[in-house]
Amino acid sequence: MRNEPNGTSTPRQIVEDMLRQSPLDLGGAIPEQRDVYRQMMQGLPAPQEVNTEKTTIGGVPVVTHTPANASGDTVLLYLHGGGYTFGSASDSAALVCAIARPAQATVVSVDYRLAPEHPYPAALNDVIQVYRTLRGDRRDATICMVGESAGGGLVLSTLLALKEQHLPQPAAAVVLSPWLDHTSNDRPSNENQDLIVTAESLRLRSRDYLGSPTALPTAADTLNADLSGLSPLHIQAGSNELLLTDALRLANRAATAHVPVELHVSARMQHVFQNFRGLLPEADAAVRAAGDFLAAHRLS
């Protein structure tokens, strides 16, 4: 890999070296990798000027982050990543709070149940329960959704389930590097460029989450579902990640279904590269774009 002329590494190279040296293996043994994932996420910068509280909404555990500029009339319902088997509501707090600031929003991060102990539809049911309770308790608030990786897939599953149940859609939704396709083996040829996700890890974690169904439920088969009537979408992905095709297909199908959609693909970026804001200029730009999208829909 080429360095800068003075011999120093670029920010992208620093991040890639960190990922290469990480013990994280999304296809590895779940108990061990949960600890690895937790330690990795806790190593990210903590949110600044944010009040954090662990509580429950509708009986579901959540972590509420209230930035100093939160107005109280906008809530971001956040769904963490981790392949449906890792992660917690506390993960990526700094990232989602940075997205929330332009919208002056409070963040409600859902500690949804994890597979394989709690397979589909446990996580989806948890999110819907929180969403329904928020709509009942905060009738005047604008609710948006944000999710990364598996959490991005869960955002789409939630939007489809709300549509099936004839419930109002969120004002807008942001998905970062969404994992949407649980059936296709037609992945891009850039697997060797993705330093986090492999096709085999996706197969393993999908089996943990969905089992081996003969047909996927509509809310889990997001790329083949009717997307008409869903919330406006803002989609981000990196060109080096294996899940790029999921983001591209989602944008195409959303546009075909007349859903307002924005797609941002950042060149040579990795899976959920936004976690490295403050180090990667591309991550800073992506976070600003997501925040601006939500702010626009908060004010619309």
Side-chain angles (χ1 to χ4, degrees):
M1 186 176 294
R2 184 175 59 84
N3 288 338
E4 292 294 286
N6 62 3
T8 60
S9 296
T10 66
R12 178 175 61 82
Q13 290 166 344
I14 292 171
V15 168
E16 289 177 349
D17 287 343
M18 290 168 57
L19 294 175
R20 287 190 182 94
Q21 295 165 16
S22 169
L24 180 66
D25 177 7
L26 291 183
I30 289 175
E32 173 188 337
Q33 290 302 314
R34 280 178 178 166
D35 289 338
V36 171
Y37 188 85
R38 184 181 305 111
Q39 292 169 16
M40 183 182 77
M41 298 307 292
Q42 289 176 349
L44 297 173
Q48 301 297 310
E49 298 181 343
V50 173
N51 180 62
T52 297
E53 179 185 9
K54 291 186 177 181
T55 183
T56 61
I57 295 179
V60 178
V62 301
V63 177
T64 300
H65 304 288
T66 307
N69 74 334
S71 66
D73 61 359
T74 305
V75 176
L76 298 191
L77 193 59
Y78 170 67
L79 309 181
H80 67 80
Y84 297 102
T85 57
F86 310 151
S88 74
S90 298
D91 296 338
S92 298
L95 169 61
V96 73
C97 286
I99 294 173
R101 284 192 181 94
Q104 299 177 19
T106 296
V107 176
V108 174
S109 182
V110 183
D111 228 342
Y112 59 82
R113 288 170 289 175
L114 299 177
E117 297 90 339
H118 304 284
Y120 179 92
L124 178 60
N125 288 343
D126 288 346
V127 177
I128 292 174
Q129 177 66 13
V130 173
Y131 181 82
R132 293 178 71 119
T133 303
L134 279 173
R135 288 200 65 88
D137 292 347
R138 305 183 66 166
R139 295 180 182 274
D140 296 331
T142 297
I143 301 177
C144 301
M145 296 192 72
V146 180
E148 50 157 309
S149 192
L154 193 51
V155 166
L156 263 293
S157 291
T158 302
L159 300 185
L160 289 167
L162 294 175
K163 177 182 172 181
E164 280 192 328
Q165 297 174 27
H166 305 289
L167 293 171
Q169 292 279 305
V174 170
V175 290
L176 312 177
S177 300
W179 177 23
L180 305 166
D181 189 353
H182 292 276
T183 61
S184 176
N185 292 318
D186 185 22
R187 293 289 178 183
S189 58
N190 67 340
E191 182 172 3
N192 64 335
Q193 298 173 0
D194 192 316
L195 303 177
I196 300 175
V197 180
T198 67
E200 179 59 20
S201 68
L202 293 179
R203 283 190 288 271
L204 289 170
R205 300 292 77 103
S206 183
R207 193 179 309 133
D208 290 330
Y209 179 54
L210 294 169
S212 301
T214 54
L216 290 178
T218 299
D221 195 14
T222 50
L223 288 178
N224 293 309
D226 176 11
L227 303 184
S228 61
L230 298 194
S231 302
L233 292 172
H234 176 94
I235 308 163
Q236 295 185 6
S239 68
N240 275 11
E241 65 173 304
L242 191 63
L243 293 175
L244 173 62
T245 51
D246 291 38
L248 298 177
R249 289 174 61 193
L250 173 61
N252 180 65
R253 288 190 57 82
T256 301
H258 308 293
V259 173
V261 60
E262 294 182 359
L263 172 66
H264 293 242
V265 178
S266 296
R268 304 179 78 178
M269 290 293 104
Q270 293 289 324
H271 184 63
V272 198
F273 64 94
Q274 298 86 348
N275 276 320
F276 296 99
R277 65 184 190 88
L279 178 58
L280 290 173
E282 295 88 348
D284 295 337
V287 169
R288 283 195 301 272
D292 289 346
F293 174 83
L294 292 169
H297 287 278
R298 168 186 174 270
L299 298 172
S300 62

